[in-house]
Amino acid sequence: MNPRHFTGMRVFRWKWILSTAALALLGATPGFALVPPILSITDAAVNEGNSGQTNLVFTISLQGAATQVVNADFALPIPLTGTGFNPANRGTACTGAADFVSTQAIHVQFPISNSPAPITVTVPVCGDTTAEPDEQMFVNLTNVTNAQCLEGTCNGVGTIRDDDGSPRVSIANASAREPLSGTSKMTFTVTLAHTSNNPVSVNFATQDGTANSNGPGLPNQPTTCPFIDYFPRSGVLTILPGIPSGTIDVTICGDKFNEASETFTIHLTNPVNGTLNTSGATGTITNFALPTLPTPSGG
């Protein structure tokens, strides 16, 4: 045998032995150990509805690559008690006082992947027409393998939102650009926190701010465009059953004055079959800015 060939074989063998030993050492050293992915579950909330079932959907996900198959159990949800919580009652069917249905733990599994797709788990919620506080359940992941749970990541809260009590009424700010002539509309949107089985009504009225609806206040001066900025409005808005919102239109007057934006307010009062969440909003008339003519240059 060629001595050089024999020497090369010995060198190759020693390199293989040293490489194998180095890999074993790295695998056994905590500083080089692979970190398991982080398992987590989201909170979830849903309106209960008036009958039948709706689904409370929880999302379970992994942060990091799954180098091994990850297993976990979505445990039976537990009625959540304590300050600020109203326990949701678990049942095997939507009968009696059951608020949600859950009969056994649900097994979830993530395959080996560099970017595992999230997994959703649903808990059926029972609809009713009883006005009651929102209800909560506690959920958690158990029997976790090949992943880690950090503080709170494997726990969640499910909330069943009641939609049978008096809905909260809100009104949002609005704005509109003033036209150069004629009129335009500014629309205020009034929303309900949830739809109602009864018509919800509320009184409304506008009030001047920097925008004027009363005219210049001189004898025989009309309270029409262009002597006013908007037409005042008052009345009653009614939102029919099953409808989530309504609108109030205010007429804006146009002019050719280059002026600052102007505002007025609209107030809500006397709600029927609802409660006021916000009682007022601001309307902003954005004035049309005329182009500035260039300054003539001296000759």
Side-chain angles (χ1 to χ4, degrees), residues 23 54 63 66 75 115 132 154 202-205 217 222 252 268:
L23 289 174
T54 55
Q63 180 183 342
S115 181
E132 57 195 346
C154 289
V202 64
N203 289 35
F204 66 87
I252 305 301
L268 304 182

Side-chain angles (χ1 to χ4, degrees), residues 258-270:
N258 194 353
E259 55 191 351
S261 296
E262 299 157 316
T263 62
F264 64 93
T265 54
I266 186 166
H267 299 282
L268 304 182
T269 56
N270 303 323

Side-chain angles (χ1 to χ4, degrees), residues 292-299:
T292 302
L293 296 177
T295 304
S297 60

Side-chain angles (χ1 to χ4, degrees), residues 168-173 188-191 202-207 248 265-271 275-282:
R168 297 182 296 277
V169 182
S170 301
I171 184 170
N173 295 333
F188 292 87
T189 301
V190 178
T191 58
V202 64
N203 289 35
F204 66 87
T206 56
Q207 180 180 354
I248 301 170
T265 54
I266 186 166
H267 299 282
L268 304 182
T269 56
N270 303 323
T275 57
L276 290 180
N277 186 45
T278 57
S279 60
T282 299

